[in-house]
Amino acid sequence: MAPASAIGCTSFSVMKHFIFYLSLLLPLLLGAQNTWTKKYDFSMTDWPWSQVEVSDGYVIMMACQYVEGAPIPPVLIKVDKQGELVWACTPEPVVYFSDSPITPHRCVLAPDSTLLVCGRIATSDTTAAVFVIKVSQQGEIIWNKLYKESYRYYEYYWTEQIATWPNGDFVVTGVYYRYDDTPNSMFLLKCNAEGDLLDDIKINYPPVLYAGYEGGDSGNPVILPDGDIFFCFFARWNTRYHPILNRLDSNLKLKWQKEATVMGRSYELVMASDGNILMYVEGGYNNYPWGADPIVQKLTPDGDSLWTYSPPGINSQLCHDMSVLTNGNIVFTGTPDYFEWLRCISADGHYLWHRKFRSPVDKPNDRMRFQKVMGTSDGGMLIAGYYRHAGTGGNYDAILLKLDGNGCLMPDCDVEFYLTDTKEPGGGSLERPPYFLLRTNMPRPGMPIEVRLGEGFGEGRLRLFSAAGRLASEQKVLENSQAEVPTRSLSPGIYVLVLEGRGGALQTERVLVTF
């Protein structure tokens, strides 16, 4: 009979190994639960304008392509936590007087868990009014309202954003354009939870000392804990963009207005977890004819800058959206060329990581755009965008990517990987084609990793990397074949198996090598 001390040591050793393997398996088990890609085929959809998380899924608002003589309302789609379509609806604004298009801009979740959709609707060829629609989470219209309806040819209400107070009141913002000699201005409408107009104001741009003033656009309002509105828009004069910060009380009375310390087109305001404000700016328009370096600036509720982050060498042509994750990290997206990037910085403005996504290597002329990004309650993120097939004119498919908190579809992904398109017509899921399949991702001790290779890549290289990024093995492979990756000389741990083609990594899978 073994001494008690030996039994204790054996038990400890078994427990130690159990904890070790559990620590290796948990990322595999947990990381794959809430990551997926989906494609939705709606013939008239253009691209996503807004998205919100609801208790049992996500709601995404799509703009629509305009067909002459047939104005089309926005399309709302609801998907569950796995991206499966629950319903799609087209909430139509009140009666309109023109065949000009309807343009939705923002969808938000109201305190009573309903959805508020705002946008602009043409009342003639040269005038536009504000609409707001309240929709249940079942896709049913509760009410719709039309505001600032005008028949004067020189008035145009370009609706941009909407935000709500805890009591259900909401504010709509936008640009008031004039086609006479009156300068443009920003407008704000305050309404109660039933959509009744309570007040409205216009905010003029600050005095401009230089010639060449051209007006600007509206940034989204943020409701502060005390009920005040933190609001930003950008004005442009002498080809330079100037973000203008504003703070108003809950009765739309302007408290102060100041110019931001950064230059560029302000696009997004987000409340940080510490009560300060994050502002996303396209800064490169001041320096490059076709570029827009992203800028993220953190501001106090009084408009003072705390820090500014601008990644070097991006020169992105478009900056899209920004969001805060549950851990306080900040993610933002943009488009330098034929790929989309996703970048993450910490809550104090330090670089953490970036990812690149592009269309399949065999479809270099297809285009993809990440229009909106949103942190999700499980610690990950949801990206809504569109995929445009080359040579098909206006054939846009809506795409959703549910990524983990590190911007990955699989745990510990590489800096760059490719988003591949579905081969199924008519709105199948946008899952990556299985270029290879593993017999098991946890081979028995001493046994090789058995790989069955699919088709679509011709000739490639199958490489095995350690978790530290060291190359453990490499071999040439052909499509429609089988391969074995030896493991006898490997230390126990997690490895990454990568299939590479001529255009880069085609598929990546994690493998747990045991004793």
Side-chain angles (χ1 to χ4, degrees), residues 44-49 61-65 73-75 102-104:
M44 297 310 302
T45 57
D46 199 353
W47 55 66
W49 279 86
M61 183 180 72
M62 306 292 299
C64 295
Q65 297 175 3
V75 173
I102 302 165
T103 307

Side-chain angles (χ1 to χ4, degrees), residues 37 409-410 417-421 430-435 506-509:
T37 61
L409 283 168
M410 69 290 292
F417 60 92
Y418 297 97
L419 178 69
T420 54
D421 184 28
L430 191 66
E431 303 293 347
R432 294 173 303 134
Y435 289 113
L506 298 176
Q507 186 175 338
T508 302
E509 298 292 344

Side-chain angles (χ1 to χ4, degrees), residues 238-352:
N238 281 355
T239 71
R240 295 179 69 83
Y241 291 85
H242 300 249
I244 309 300
L245 307 175
N246 306 263
R247 182 164 175 171
L248 303 87
D249 65 20
S250 58
N251 295 315
L252 306 188
K253 182 180 179 181
L254 184 64
K255 288 187 172 182
W256 52 255
Q257 183 180 85
K258 62 179 69 174
E259 186 174 338
T261 58
V262 294
M263 305 285 285
R265 297 175 58 169
S266 51
Y267 263 97
E268 194 73 21
L269 293 178
V270 176
M271 175 74 77
S273 56
D274 59 3
N276 291 303
I277 310 298
L278 294 165
M279 179 172 65
Y280 190 29
V281 176
E282 280 189 340
Y285 275 92
N286 297 323
N287 304 307
Y288 307 103
W290 301 105
D293 282 343
I295 298 173
V296 178
Q297 186 174 62
K298 193 170 189 177
L299 305 164
T300 69
D302 293 321
D304 300 320
S305 175
L306 296 174
W307 52 256
T308 301
Y309 173 82
S310 183
I314 295 294
N315 191 22
S316 171
Q317 294 183 10
L318 290 171
C319 296
H320 298 322
D321 197 21
M322 174 184 64
S323 185
V324 179
L325 303 182
T326 56
N327 61 5
N329 291 341
I330 304 154
V331 290
F332 51 101
T333 62
T335 307
D337 195 359
Y338 276 81
F339 65 87
E340 292 288 300
W341 55 256
L342 173 70
R343 187 168 289 258
C344 182
I345 59 177
S346 65
D348 54 358
H350 292 95
Y351 167 81
L352 295 177

Side-chain angles (χ1 to χ4, degrees), residues 471-482:
L471 182 65
S473 69
E474 178 181 4
Q475 58 182 294
K476 289 184 179 180
V477 292
L478 299 175
E479 63 180 10
N480 294 321
S481 64
Q482 297 189 25

